Amino acid sequence: MISSQVLQTSIDELRAITRIDLCVFDTEGRTVVSTFSSEDIQSEMVRLFAESAADSQVIQGYHFFKIFDDQVVEYVLVAKGDSDDTYMIGKVAVSEIQNLIIAYKERFDKNNFIQNLLLDNLLLVDIYNRAKKLHIDVEARRVVYVIETKVEKDLGARETLKTLFASKTKDFITAVDEKSIILVHELKAEEGYEEADQVANMIRDMLNSEAMSSVRIAYGTIVEEIKQVSKSYKEAKMALDVGKIFYSEKKVIAYNTLGIGRLIYQLPISLCQMFMKEVFGDNIPDSLDEETLITINKFFENNLNVSETSRQLFVHRNTLVYRLEKLQKSTGLDIRVFDDALTFKIALMVVSYMKYMENGEY
């Protein structure tokens, strides 16, 4: 349904150009929008005209016109005056409003189609038939972005996103839940993951500065056909969850860069518990203090280099060695040895995953 604001703007513009006053009624005779006081036009008069066989008629010095939507009367347009010029302007107004109805219906239908496509609610034959009717290219290269906002129904972020992609008619912006916005973005033939990542960072920067929204963005793999769009969406959703658990410092994350985090995310909890018991026995550490975690992460960042890690942490080499030996005594793993370091790194990720699954957040 067209908003009253859009209808009012349309007839105001026609009034400014032609100086012919116009009024739009619903089929019950209620005024929807108008450029003049329509008190002289009785609702009964409008209802009777809407039910009549005529498409246009002059009644008491006004031109009445029917506005159709799929051969059903949607509105009644009244043009003030009974001259030929008034009739012509009335017909122009009817044509403009009917085209607006078609455009808005198509936009609504496209949004509905994209939502059902993302959620896998369509049969394969329906996907291609509806895409053809809506003039959507079925073989374009696309990637799906999921933009999660901290505020539910963040209208500011959504409007900024629409403004950002307003000129790109082949992109679609929609939502299937309260906390995220979905962008289905079409890529050119020569564009790949580097360009997809640039788009994600551009969105993040724009939303952070324009909409003052703190967002996390994830995107799936590039797909070649419209039937695969739901696959890219599911990958983006997974990337968003995996990013929260294992890569919380990243605000933009791609499905094809998840690495071992993607593997751990798909493990059953029972298998994770078994792994932890194998590594630590009955002495599974509940948590590590912040100093120890910082030390471990910095040690891993520096490829197990004791000297460089101690320099970056501003501690004496012997102090760092003491901390690592203390960790070895409590866990049984010497992270100065590559195999133990790898095991410990995976164990930390598994702990994060188990906490997320237990609490629903990390």
Side-chain angles (χ1 to χ4, degrees):
M1 183 67 70
I2 309 173
S3 69
S4 297
Q5 184 179 357
V6 172
L7 280 175
Q8 186 68 57
T9 301
S10 297
I11 65 171
D12 282 344
E13 288 175 351
L14 283 168
R15 168 70 180 80
I17 296 167
T18 65
R19 300 190 179 181
I20 300 293
D21 279 306
L22 302 166
C23 184
V24 178
F25 295 88
D26 64 17
T27 53
E28 295 299 314
R30 294 183 289 262
T31 303
V32 179
V33 292
S34 181
T35 64
F36 68 100
S37 176
S38 57
E39 294 176 358
D40 293 342
I41 304 170
Q42 299 173 3
S43 58
E44 184 64 22
M45 214 188 311
V46 176
R47 283 199 301 271
L48 288 172
F49 171 71
E51 293 168 2
S52 71
D55 287 345
S56 64
Q57 189 176 351
V58 177
I59 306 173
Q60 296 180 10
Y62 294 95
H63 264 295
F64 282 64
F65 302 88
K66 288 178 182 174
I67 299 172
F68 293 92
D69 177 15
D70 284 340
Q71 300 181 337
V72 176
V73 180
E74 184 72 19
Y75 299 110
V76 171
L77 174 81
V78 177
K80 193 174 184 180
D82 54 8
S83 67
D84 290 343
D85 285 346
T86 307
Y87 173 79
M88 181 182 68
I89 298 307
K91 293 294 283 184
V92 169
V94 167
S95 176
E96 181 173 332
I97 293 172
Q98 286 189 165
N99 285 332
L100 279 173
I101 290 172
I102 292 167
Y104 269 72
K105 278 184 68 177
E106 184 171 295
R107 191 172 80 174
F108 172 79
D109 287 345
K110 280 184 178 179
N111 185 62
N112 182 263
F113 169 69
I114 293 297
Q115 286 178 337
N116 283 305
L117 180 66
L118 293 168
L119 297 172
D120 266 340
N121 289 339
L122 297 169
L123 297 173
L124 190 59
V125 65
D126 290 335
I127 291 173
Y128 287 97
N129 287 339
R130 289 187 64 182
K132 186 177 179 181
K133 285 181 181 178
L134 295 169
H135 310 292
I136 297 173
D137 190 352
V138 296
E139 293 186 347
R141 299 173 73 249
R142 296 182 174 93
V143 62
V144 178
Y145 296 86
V146 176
I147 301 105
E148 186 182 71
T149 58
K150 285 192 174 181
V151 181
E152 290 190 4
K153 293 184 178 180
D154 193 331
L155 299 178
R158 189 161 179 175
E159 287 306 311
T160 300
L161 206 58
K162 283 182 178 178
T163 303
L164 196 59
F165 292 90
S167 61
K168 299 177 181 178
T169 55
K170 295 180 180 180
D171 292 339
F172 304 99
I173 296 167
T174 188
V176 295
D177 58 41
E178 302 291 334
K179 287 201 71 174
S180 60
I181 305 165
I182 300 164
L183 168 66
V184 181
H185 176 58
E186 185 172 318
L187 295 166
K188 295 176 183 176
E190 69 276 10
E191 292 180 330
Y193 288 103
E194 185 179 342
E195 287 77 14
D197 198 64
Q198 287 172 1
V199 169
N201 282 286
M202 176 185 67
I203 293 170
R204 181 202 61 194
D205 294 342
M206 282 291 290
L207 293 182
N208 285 346
S209 60
E210 298 291 330
M212 302 298 287
S213 298
S214 178
V215 297
R216 297 180 68 89
I217 301 171
Y219 59 94
T221 54
I222 296 170
V223 296
E224 304 289 335
E225 290 187 65
I226 197 164
K227 67 180 181 181
Q228 298 174 313
V229 165
S230 63
K231 169 179 167 285
S232 187
Y233 168 64
K234 289 170 186 172
E235 290 169 346
K237 285 281 287 180
M238 179 188 282
L240 198 64
D241 285 342
V242 173
K244 286 181 198 172
I245 303 168
F246 305 119
Y247 315 108
S248 57
E249 73 284 356
K250 293 185 179 180
K251 297 302 179 184
V252 173
I253 190 156
Y255 177 80
N256 62 355
T257 63
L258 295 178
I260 196 170
R262 177 169 56 239
L263 294 177
I264 295 171
Y265 182 77
Q266 296 179 82
L267 293 175
I269 290 295
S270 57
L271 199 58
C272 293
Q273 291 169 337
M274 189 185 301
F275 169 75
M276 295 299 288
K277 192 167 181 64
E278 285 177 5
V279 173
F280 297 109
D282 294 326
N283 300 313
I284 299 173
D286 291 331
S287 61
L288 297 169
D289 60 78
E290 189 176 352
E291 183 185 77
T292 303
L293 280 173
I294 291 170
T295 301
I296 293 167
N297 289 327
K298 189 60 71 175
F299 190 57
F300 287 154
E301 282 176 22
N302 288 294
N303 299 314
L304 316 186
N305 187 309
V306 175
S307 299
E308 183 60 25
T309 303
S310 61
R311 188 185 69 80
Q312 291 188 20
L313 289 174
F314 303 103
V315 297
H316 194 277
R317 177 188 171 91
N318 291 344
T319 304
L320 177 60
V321 170
Y322 170 75
R323 290 181 187 176
L324 297 178
E325 288 177 348
K326 183 181 175 184
L327 180 68
Q328 182 183 2
K329 286 178 183 176
S330 64
T331 64
L333 295 173
D334 183 359
I335 64 172
R336 291 169 293 183
V337 178
F338 177 77
D339 285 351
D340 282 3
L342 181 61
T343 301
F344 197 86
K345 176 69 174 176
I346 294 171
L348 284 178
M349 295 178 77
V350 169
V351 167
S352 297
Y353 171 61
M354 290 171 68
K355 282 182 179 179
Y356 178 83
M357 295 304 290
E358 183 181 343
N359 303 322
E361 58 181 22
Y362 178 64

PDB file of all heavy atoms in Angstrom, residues 253-278:
ATOM      1  N   ILE A 253      33.712  -9.966   9.650  1.00  0.00           N
ATOM      2  CA  ILE A 253      34.264 -11.317   9.512  1.00  0.00           C
ATOM      3  C   ILE A 253      33.620 -12.033   8.329  1.00  0.00           C
ATOM      4  O   ILE A 253      32.416 -11.925   8.100  1.00  0.00           O
ATOM      5  CB  ILE A 253      34.090 -12.128  10.818  1.00  0.00           C
ATOM      6  CG1 ILE A 253      34.865 -13.421  10.748  1.00  0.00           C
ATOM      7  CG2 ILE A 253      32.624 -12.375  11.125  1.00  0.00           C
ATOM      8  CD1 ILE A 253      35.221 -13.989  12.094  1.00  0.00           C
ATOM      9  N   ALA A 254      34.448 -12.741   7.572  1.00  0.00           N
ATOM     10  CA  ALA A 254      33.984 -13.478   6.397  1.00  0.00           C
ATOM     11  C   ALA A 254      33.937 -14.969   6.705  1.00  0.00           C
ATOM     12  O   ALA A 254      34.785 -15.497   7.432  1.00  0.00           O
ATOM     13  CB  ALA A 254      34.918 -13.222   5.219  1.00  0.00           C
ATOM     14  N   TYR A 255      32.950 -15.640   6.135  1.00  0.00           N
ATOM     15  CA  TYR A 255      32.797 -17.080   6.360  1.00  0.00           C
ATOM     16  C   TYR A 255      34.039 -17.849   5.939  1.00  0.00           C
ATOM     17  O   TYR A 255      34.447 -18.808   6.601  1.00  0.00           O
ATOM     18  CB  TYR A 255      31.586 -17.582   5.577  1.00  0.00           C
ATOM     19  CG  TYR A 255      31.371 -19.072   5.665  1.00  0.00           C
ATOM     20  CD1 TYR A 255      30.762 -19.642   6.781  1.00  0.00           C
ATOM     21  CD2 TYR A 255      31.770 -19.919   4.622  1.00  0.00           C
ATOM     22  CE1 TYR A 255      30.563 -21.017   6.858  1.00  0.00           C
ATOM     23  CE2 TYR A 255      31.575 -21.287   4.698  1.00  0.00           C
ATOM     24  CZ  TYR A 255      30.972 -21.829   5.818  1.00  0.00           C
ATOM     25  OH  TYR A 255      30.782 -23.193   5.889  1.00  0.00           O
ATOM     26  N   ASN A 256      34.675 -17.408   4.823  1.00  0.00           N
ATOM     27  CA  ASN A 256      35.823 -18.161   4.310  1.00  0.00           C
ATOM     28  C   ASN A 256      37.125 -17.845   5.035  1.00  0.00           C
ATOM     29  O   ASN A 256      38.196 -18.277   4.607  1.00  0.00           O
ATOM     30  CB  ASN A 256      35.986 -17.931   2.801  1.00  0.00           C
ATOM     31  CG  ASN A 256      36.255 -16.487   2.454  1.00  0.00           C
ATOM     32  OD1 ASN A 256      36.225 -15.617   3.325  1.00  0.00           O
ATOM     33  ND2 ASN A 256      36.514 -16.207   1.190  1.00  0.00           N
ATOM     34  N   THR A 257      37.051 -17.112   6.155  1.00  0.00           N
ATOM     35  CA  THR A 257      38.258 -16.852   6.963  1.00  0.00           C
ATOM     36  C   THR A 257      38.094 -17.361   8.399  1.00  0.00           C
ATOM     37  O   THR A 257      38.875 -16.988   9.271  1.00  0.00           O
ATOM     38  CB  THR A 257      38.572 -15.334   7.001  1.00  0.00           C
ATOM     39  OG1 THR A 257      37.487 -14.639   7.656  1.00  0.00           O
ATOM     40  CG2 THR A 257      38.759 -14.763   5.606  1.00  0.00           C
ATOM     41  N   LEU A 258      37.107 -18.202   8.635  1.00  0.00           N
ATOM     42  CA  LEU A 258      36.825 -18.651  10.009  1.00  0.00           C
ATOM     43  C   LEU A 258      37.838 -19.664  10.519  1.00  0.00           C
ATOM     44  O   LEU A 258      38.008 -19.816  11.734  1.00  0.00           O
ATOM     45  CB  LEU A 258      35.416 -19.249  10.087  1.00  0.00           C
ATOM     46  CG  LEU A 258      34.253 -18.280   9.823  1.00  0.00           C
ATOM     47  CD1 LEU A 258      32.934 -19.018   9.881  1.00  0.00           C
ATOM     48  CD2 LEU A 258      34.265 -17.128  10.818  1.00  0.00           C
ATOM     49  N   GLY A 259      38.479 -20.393   9.615  1.00  0.00           N
ATOM     50  CA  GLY A 259      39.507 -21.346  10.017  1.00  0.00           C
ATOM     51  C   GLY A 259      39.004 -22.407  10.978  1.00  0.00           C
ATOM     52  O   GLY A 259      37.896 -22.931  10.839  1.00  0.00           O
ATOM     53  N   ILE A 260      39.791 -22.683  12.008  1.00  0.00           N
ATOM     54  CA  ILE A 260      39.467 -23.753  12.949  1.00  0.00           C
ATOM     55  C   ILE A 260      38.218 -23.436  13.774  1.00  0.00           C
ATOM     56  O   ILE A 260      37.547 -24.336  14.268  1.00  0.00           O
ATOM     57  CB  ILE A 260      40.688 -24.045  13.859  1.00  0.00           C
ATOM     58  CG1 ILE A 260      40.511 -25.394  14.548  1.00  0.00           C
ATOM     59  CG2 ILE A 260      40.887 -22.923  14.874  1.00  0.00           C
ATOM     60  CD1 ILE A 260      41.756 -25.865  15.251  1.00  0.00           C
ATOM     61  N   GLY A 261      37.906 -22.154  13.891  1.00  0.00           N
ATOM     62  CA  GLY A 261      36.696 -21.768  14.622  1.00  0.00           C
ATOM     63  C   GLY A 261      35.449 -22.383  14.025  1.00  0.00           C
ATOM     64  O   GLY A 261      34.524 -22.783  14.747  1.00  0.00           O
ATOM     65  N   ARG A 262      35.400 -22.486  12.685  1.00  0.00           N
ATOM     66  CA  ARG A 262      34.241 -23.083  12.018  1.00  0.00           C
ATOM     67  C   ARG A 262      34.116 -24.563  12.362  1.00  0.00           C
ATOM     68  O   ARG A 262      33.015 -25.073  12.563  1.00  0.00           O
ATOM     69  CB  ARG A 262      34.375 -22.889  10.505  1.00  0.00           C
ATOM     70  CG  ARG A 262      33.252 -23.530   9.712  1.00  0.00           C
ATOM     71  CD  ARG A 262      33.242 -23.121   8.251  1.00  0.00           C
ATOM     72  NE  ARG A 262      34.510 -23.390   7.596  1.00  0.00           N
ATOM     73  CZ  ARG A 262      35.266 -22.463   7.021  1.00  0.00           C
ATOM     74  NH1 ARG A 262      34.890 -21.202   7.046  1.00  0.00           N
ATOM     75  NH2 ARG A 262      36.396 -22.784   6.435  1.00  0.00           N
ATOM     76  N   LEU A 263      35.262 -25.256  12.453  1.00  0.00           N
ATOM     77  CA  LEU A 263      35.238 -26.681  12.795  1.00  0.00           C
ATOM     78  C   LEU A 263      34.723 -26.890  14.217  1.00  0.00           C
ATOM     79  O   LEU A 263      33.879 -27.750  14.464  1.00  0.00           O
ATOM     80  CB  LEU A 263      36.640 -27.277  12.652  1.00  0.00           C
ATOM     81  CG  LEU A 263      37.231 -27.328  11.240  1.00  0.00           C
ATOM     82  CD1 LEU A 263      38.644 -27.877  11.287  1.00  0.00           C
ATOM     83  CD2 LEU A 263      36.368 -28.192  10.333  1.00  0.00           C
ATOM     84  N   ILE A 264      35.267 -26.112  15.160  1.00  0.00           N
ATOM     85  CA  ILE A 264      34.867 -26.261  16.566  1.00  0.00           C
ATOM     86  C   ILE A 264      33.384 -25.945  16.741  1.00  0.00           C
ATOM     87  O   ILE A 264      32.670 -26.617  17.495  1.00  0.00           O
ATOM     88  CB  ILE A 264      35.743 -25.367  17.467  1.00  0.00           C
ATOM     89  CG1 ILE A 264      37.202 -25.850  17.426  1.00  0.00           C
ATOM     90  CG2 ILE A 264      35.227 -25.341  18.905  1.00  0.00           C
ATOM     91  CD1 ILE A 264      38.185 -24.916  18.112  1.00  0.00           C
ATOM     92  N   TYR A 265      32.898 -24.928  16.026  1.00  0.00           N
ATOM     93  CA  TYR A 265      31.499 -24.504  16.142  1.00  0.00           C
ATOM     94  C   TYR A 265      30.527 -25.626  15.776  1.00  0.00           C
ATOM     95  O   TYR A 265      29.405 -25.669  16.270  1.00  0.00           O
ATOM     96  CB  TYR A 265      31.270 -23.300  15.232  1.00  0.00           C
ATOM     97  CG  TYR A 265      29.876 -22.728  15.287  1.00  0.00           C
ATOM     98  CD1 TYR A 265      29.461 -21.935  16.354  1.00  0.00           C
ATOM     99  CD2 TYR A 265      28.965 -22.983  14.260  1.00  0.00           C
ATOM    100  CE1 TYR A 265      28.177 -21.414  16.395  1.00  0.00           C
ATOM    101  CE2 TYR A 265      27.685 -22.460  14.298  1.00  0.00           C
ATOM    102  CZ  TYR A 265      27.294 -21.671  15.370  1.00  0.00           C
ATOM    103  OH  TYR A 265      26.023 -21.150  15.404  1.00  0.00           O
ATOM    104  N   GLN A 266      30.984 -26.537  14.926  1.00  0.00           N
ATOM    105  CA  GLN A 266      30.088 -27.603  14.468  1.00  0.00           C
ATOM    106  C   GLN A 266      30.232 -28.903  15.268  1.00  0.00           C
ATOM    107  O   GLN A 266      29.602 -29.902  14.956  1.00  0.00           O
ATOM    108  CB  GLN A 266      30.338 -27.863  12.977  1.00  0.00           C
ATOM    109  CG  GLN A 266      29.996 -26.650  12.115  1.00  0.00           C
ATOM    110  CD  GLN A 266      30.251 -26.872  10.646  1.00  0.00           C
ATOM    111  OE1 GLN A 266      29.443 -27.459   9.939  1.00  0.00           O
ATOM    112  NE2 GLN A 266      31.399 -26.402  10.177  1.00  0.00           N
ATOM    113  N   LEU A 267      31.048 -28.852  16.320  1.00  0.00           N
ATOM    114  CA  LEU A 267      31.231 -30.042  17.159  1.00  0.00           C
ATOM    115  C   LEU A 267      30.112 -30.149  18.193  1.00  0.00           C
ATOM    116  O   LEU A 267      29.685 -29.139  18.758  1.00  0.00           O
ATOM    117  CB  LEU A 267      32.575 -29.974  17.896  1.00  0.00           C
ATOM    118  CG  LEU A 267      33.854 -30.058  17.050  1.00  0.00           C
ATOM    119  CD1 LEU A 267      35.070 -29.849  17.945  1.00  0.00           C
ATOM    120  CD2 LEU A 267      33.938 -31.389  16.327  1.00  0.00           C
ATOM    121  N   PRO A 268      29.649 -31.360  18.489  1.00  0.00           N
ATOM    122  CA  PRO A 268      28.682 -31.522  19.589  1.00  0.00           C
ATOM    123  C   PRO A 268      29.361 -31.271  20.932  1.00  0.00           C
ATOM    124  O   PRO A 268      30.563 -31.538  21.087  1.00  0.00           O
ATOM    125  CB  PRO A 268      28.228 -32.979  19.450  1.00  0.00           C
ATOM    126  CG  PRO A 268      29.293 -33.656  18.665  1.00  0.00           C
ATOM    127  CD  PRO A 268      29.920 -32.621  17.777  1.00  0.00           C
ATOM    128  N   ILE A 269      28.618 -30.776  21.901  1.00  0.00           N
ATOM    129  CA  ILE A 269      29.172 -30.452  23.221  1.00  0.00           C
ATOM    130  C   ILE A 269      29.796 -31.682  23.877  1.00  0.00           C
ATOM    131  O   ILE A 269      30.847 -31.592  24.529  1.00  0.00           O
ATOM    132  CB  ILE A 269      28.077 -29.857  24.132  1.00  0.00           C
ATOM    133  CG1 ILE A 269      27.684 -28.469  23.643  1.00  0.00           C
ATOM    134  CG2 ILE A 269      28.549 -29.771  25.574  1.00  0.00           C
ATOM    135  CD1 ILE A 269      28.794 -27.437  23.727  1.00  0.00           C
ATOM    136  N   SER A 270      29.188 -32.847  23.691  1.00  0.00           N
ATOM    137  CA  SER A 270      29.716 -34.075  24.314  1.00  0.00           C
ATOM    138  C   SER A 270      31.133 -34.367  23.831  1.00  0.00           C
ATOM    139  O   SER A 270      31.999 -34.801  24.607  1.00  0.00           O
ATOM    140  CB  SER A 270      28.799 -35.265  23.994  1.00  0.00           C
ATOM    141  OG  SER A 270      28.670 -35.426  22.586  1.00  0.00           O
ATOM    142  N   LEU A 271      31.404 -34.111  22.549  1.00  0.00           N
ATOM    143  CA  LEU A 271      32.733 -34.327  22.000  1.00  0.00           C
ATOM    144  C   LEU A 271      33.728 -33.302  22.554  1.00  0.00           C
ATOM    145  O   LEU A 271      34.893 -33.633  22.833  1.00  0.00           O
ATOM    146  CB  LEU A 271      32.680 -34.226  20.473  1.00  0.00           C
ATOM    147  CG  LEU A 271      33.836 -34.848  19.685  1.00  0.00           C
ATOM    148  CD1 LEU A 271      33.995 -36.329  19.997  1.00  0.00           C
ATOM    149  CD2 LEU A 271      33.636 -34.642  18.191  1.00  0.00           C
ATOM    150  N   CYS A 272      33.260 -32.064  22.752  1.00  0.00           N
ATOM    151  CA  CYS A 272      34.112 -31.028  23.342  1.00  0.00           C
ATOM    152  C   CYS A 272      34.498 -31.390  24.770  1.00  0.00           C
ATOM    153  O   CYS A 272      35.658 -31.228  25.177  1.00  0.00           O
ATOM    154  CB  CYS A 272      33.379 -29.675  23.332  1.00  0.00           C
ATOM    155  SG  CYS A 272      33.092 -29.007  21.687  1.00  0.00           S
ATOM    156  N   GLN A 273      33.512 -31.894  25.525  1.00  0.00           N
ATOM    157  CA  GLN A 273      33.785 -32.287  26.915  1.00  0.00           C
ATOM    158  C   GLN A 273      34.782 -33.442  26.971  1.00  0.00           C
ATOM    159  O   GLN A 273      35.673 -33.487  27.829  1.00  0.00           O
ATOM    160  CB  GLN A 273      32.473 -32.673  27.597  1.00  0.00           C
ATOM    161  CG  GLN A 273      31.545 -31.492  27.821  1.00  0.00           C
ATOM    162  CD  GLN A 273      30.149 -31.907  28.261  1.00  0.00           C
ATOM    163  OE1 GLN A 273      29.711 -33.040  28.014  1.00  0.00           O
ATOM    164  NE2 GLN A 273      29.433 -30.982  28.897  1.00  0.00           N
ATOM    165  N   MET A 274      34.653 -34.358  26.030  1.00  0.00           N
ATOM    166  CA  MET A 274      35.575 -35.501  25.968  1.00  0.00           C
ATOM    167  C   MET A 274      36.997 -35.031  25.664  1.00  0.00           C
ATOM    168  O   MET A 274      37.966 -35.486  26.278  1.00  0.00           O
ATOM    169  CB  MET A 274      35.103 -36.474  24.874  1.00  0.00           C
ATOM    170  CG  MET A 274      35.849 -37.804  24.855  1.00  0.00           C
ATOM    171  SD  MET A 274      35.345 -38.835  23.454  1.00  0.00           S
ATOM    172  CE  MET A 274      33.584 -38.984  23.774  1.00  0.00           C
ATOM    173  N   PHE A 275      37.101 -34.080  24.737  1.00  0.00           N
ATOM    174  CA  PHE A 275      38.411 -33.534  24.368  1.00  0.00           C
ATOM    175  C   PHE A 275      39.066 -32.842  25.565  1.00  0.00           C
ATOM    176  O   PHE A 275      40.256 -33.037  25.838  1.00  0.00           O
ATOM    177  CB  PHE A 275      38.249 -32.552  23.205  1.00  0.00           C
ATOM    178  CG  PHE A 275      39.487 -31.744  22.910  1.00  0.00           C
ATOM    179  CD1 PHE A 275      40.576 -32.307  22.261  1.00  0.00           C
ATOM    180  CD2 PHE A 275      39.573 -30.408  23.285  1.00  0.00           C
ATOM    181  CE1 PHE A 275      41.722 -31.570  21.993  1.00  0.00           C
ATOM    182  CE2 PHE A 275      40.715 -29.645  23.026  1.00  0.00           C
ATOM    183  CZ  PHE A 275      41.790 -30.237  22.375  1.00  0.00           C
ATOM    184  N   MET A 276      38.281 -32.040  26.293  1.00  0.00           N
ATOM    185  CA  MET A 276      38.821 -31.325  27.447  1.00  0.00           C
ATOM    186  C   MET A 276      39.296 -32.293  28.526  1.00  0.00           C
ATOM    187  O   MET A 276      40.328 -32.069  29.172  1.00  0.00           O
ATOM    188  CB  MET A 276      37.761 -30.368  28.008  1.00  0.00           C
ATOM    189  CG  MET A 276      37.370 -29.235  27.065  1.00  0.00           C
ATOM    190  SD  MET A 276      38.749 -28.151  26.631  1.00  0.00           S
ATOM    191  CE  MET A 276      38.976 -27.281  28.165  1.00  0.00           C
ATOM    192  N   LYS A 277      38.561 -33.376  28.694  1.00  0.00           N
ATOM    193  CA  LYS A 277      38.947 -34.363  29.712  1.00  0.00           C
ATOM    194  C   LYS A 277      40.231 -35.078  29.309  1.00  0.00           C
ATOM    195  O   LYS A 277      41.092 -35.364  30.143  1.00  0.00           O
ATOM    196  CB  LYS A 277      37.805 -35.370  29.914  1.00  0.00           C
ATOM    197  CG  LYS A 277      37.977 -36.248  31.140  1.00  0.00           C
ATOM    198  CD  LYS A 277      36.703 -36.991  31.454  1.00  0.00           C
ATOM    199  CE  LYS A 277      36.852 -37.853  32.706  1.00  0.00           C
ATOM    200  NZ  LYS A 277      37.086 -37.055  33.922  1.00  0.00           N
ATOM    201  N   GLU A 278      40.380 -35.344  27.999  1.00  0.00           N
ATOM    202  CA  GLU A 278      41.600 -35.985  27.503  1.00  0.00           C
ATOM    203  C   GLU A 278      42.814 -35.089  27.706  1.00  0.00           C
ATOM    204  O   GLU A 278      43.904 -35.555  28.035  1.00  0.00           O
ATOM    205  CB  GLU A 278      41.449 -36.310  26.009  1.00  0.00           C
ATOM    206  CG  GLU A 278      40.550 -37.496  25.719  1.00  0.00           C
ATOM    207  CD  GLU A 278      40.378 -37.717  24.223  1.00  0.00           C
ATOM    208  OE1 GLU A 278      41.035 -37.000  23.432  1.00  0.00           O
ATOM    209  OE2 GLU A 278      39.585 -38.599  23.855  1.00  0.00           O
TER     210      GLU A 278
END
